Amino acid sequence: MKKILFIAPSGALTHEANLDRAAAYFSARGWQVQASDNLWQKYQRFSGDDDLRLHELHAAARSDAEVVMAVRGGYGLTRLLGRIDWNLMRTAKKIWVGHSDFTAFHLALLAQTKAPSLAGPMACYDFGNEDVSPFTERHFWRLIKGDEVSFKVKASRQPELAVKGRLWGGNLTVLSSLVGTPYLPQVRGGLLFLEDIHEHPYRIERMLYQLELSGCLKQQRAVLLGDFSGYQLSAHDNGYDFGRMVAHLRERFKVPILTGLPFGHCTDKLTLPVGAMASVVSERGGYRLTFSRH
């Protein structure tokens, strides 16, 4: 029987019923569900203090679970990056899955060990819903099985291109906070995917400028923007919205910027392999993204 381990390396759990539903989801598909000891802990806004969360992350690497999945995001992994045993993570050879704050782990793992991981659904956030998205689960299981995925992103008015590169990225706020640290991968010729939630377009623009001015974007073959929802515009914006922001950056930056990627804090999301090779090819009415877990 295959085993999946739920971990809580960031924020404290807020919806117990979601965790029960997630466990039932995997059990019904023949997986043995395990849970880290700190899953129900609460220390301030975190699922236990830093020492406990670090201990459980190391315990997950030593476990016999094939898949290790974050239950939720929030904040907390950045506190642990400098103390994680990255050699242990390199030799663990787990399939690590999550998004949001788990981006810090994805990127640090790639930077420190070159090991891939999966940016995708989380236990409570996705598999704990009363109605699990068929789109999300279909693409998740394809990556778990190691299948190649070739997905047509339907999005009008995209740059024309046909490129290959290493696929990497995640939550924009988390990623930009790692600029200048040893935990941001130095990917040349990459395909950078990004998402965020509750961030106004001007904040998104500011973080993308940070990546541009730091030299990160100049090294990429393409930037793929996913879901950026949950923000509110005001009269003060005077027509400045997400679309105007993207148009401005396309004029200023040399790297092609594509939109419409189904990934992020959205119901229907792809599972994306952080660190694997991929390709992006323009097609009528959008572009095709092709990748596999390896």
Side-chain angles (χ1 to χ4, degrees):
M1 179 179 291
K2 293 185 177 181
K3 299 178 182 179
I4 183 170
L5 172 63
F6 293 165
I7 59 171
S10 302
L13 286 181
T14 54
H15 299 91
E16 296 181 8
N18 288 52
L19 185 63
D20 292 337
R21 284 193 290 265
Y25 174 90
F26 284 97
S27 295
R29 285 154 182 80
W31 285 67
Q32 180 180 335
V33 179
Q34 303 172 339
S36 62
D37 289 342
N38 70 310
L39 217 56
W40 305 108
Q41 297 293 318
K42 287 183 173 61
Y43 172 77
Q44 297 173 353
R45 62 179 293 116
F46 309 102
S47 56
D49 62 26
D50 293 353
D51 289 341
L52 178 58
R53 288 182 291 111
L54 179 67
H55 177 272
E56 291 304 312
L57 198 56
H58 288 156
R62 296 188 182 98
S63 74
D64 59 354
E66 290 93 340
V67 177
V68 180
M69 177 179 286
V71 295
R72 60 154 298 182
Y75 168 71
L77 266 165
T78 301
R79 289 182 165 202
L80 308 180
L81 295 183
R83 301 172 60 195
I84 292 174
D85 183 343
W86 294 109
N87 186 58
L88 172 63
M89 298 301 161
R90 178 182 60 81
T91 58
K93 300 188 184 302
K94 304 296 183 187
I95 300 176
W96 304 91
V97 190
H99 67 277
S100 190
D101 192 57
F102 206 66
T103 296
F105 182 84
H106 289 311
L107 298 179
L109 181 69
L110 185 61
Q112 294 291 309
T113 75
K114 296 183 172 59
S117 54
L118 297 183
M122 294 188 287
C124 289
Y125 193 88
D126 297 283
F127 293 113
N129 292 325
E130 292 186 7
D131 295 311
V132 178
S133 160
F135 180 97
T136 296
E137 64 176 342
R138 179 170 67 254
H139 288 283
F140 168 76
W141 288 115
R142 291 184 70 180
L143 264 291
I144 292 298
K145 291 189 295 182
D147 293 346
E148 181 178 88
V149 173
S150 184
F151 181 78
K152 169 70 176 291
V153 178
K154 296 180 181 179
S156 60
R157 297 189 295 275
Q158 302 298 309
E160 292 286 331
L161 75 165
V163 294
K164 293 182 179 180
R166 196 165 300 281
L167 188 64
W168 71 293
N171 181 266
L172 176 58
T173 297
V174 175
L175 187 148
S176 63
S177 74
L178 298 179
V179 170
T181 76
Y183 305 109
L184 184 71
Q186 301 302 305
V187 179
R188 296 183 180 275
L191 307 177
L192 175 62
F193 65 90
L194 299 167
E195 63 84 23
D196 220 318
I197 189 169
H198 302 315
E199 293 291 350
H200 191 285
Y202 84 83
R203 295 181 181 176
I204 298 167
E205 177 184 307
R206 183 168 58 195
M207 287 185 279
L208 287 168
Y209 261 108
Q210 181 184 14
L211 297 181
E212 169 69 11
L213 296 173
S214 71
C216 177
L217 293 192
K218 294 180 177 68
Q219 300 177 12
Q220 309 309 311
R221 292 199 171 103
V223 174
L224 284 63
L225 299 183
D227 185 69
F228 286 85
S229 57
Y231 61 83
Q232 290 186 344
L233 300 176
S234 68
H236 177 70
D237 291 306
N238 194 30
Y240 174 85
D241 57 14
F242 187 85
R244 297 287 178 85
M245 180 271 294
V246 171
H248 166 79
L249 295 182
R250 282 174 171 167
E251 291 179 356
R252 294 295 182 93
F253 297 170
K254 293 182 178 180
V255 61
I257 299 175
L258 289 76
T259 59
L261 184 71
F263 177 77
H265 291 73
C266 48
T267 301
D268 296 336
K269 61 171 63 68
L270 290 171
T271 296
L272 301 173
V274 180
M277 296 301 293
S279 67
V280 175
V281 179
S282 296
E283 292 187 357
R284 185 174 182 178
Y287 56 93
R288 183 166 296 278
L289 175 62
T290 303
F291 55 86
S292 68
R293 197 179 80 216
H294 306 290

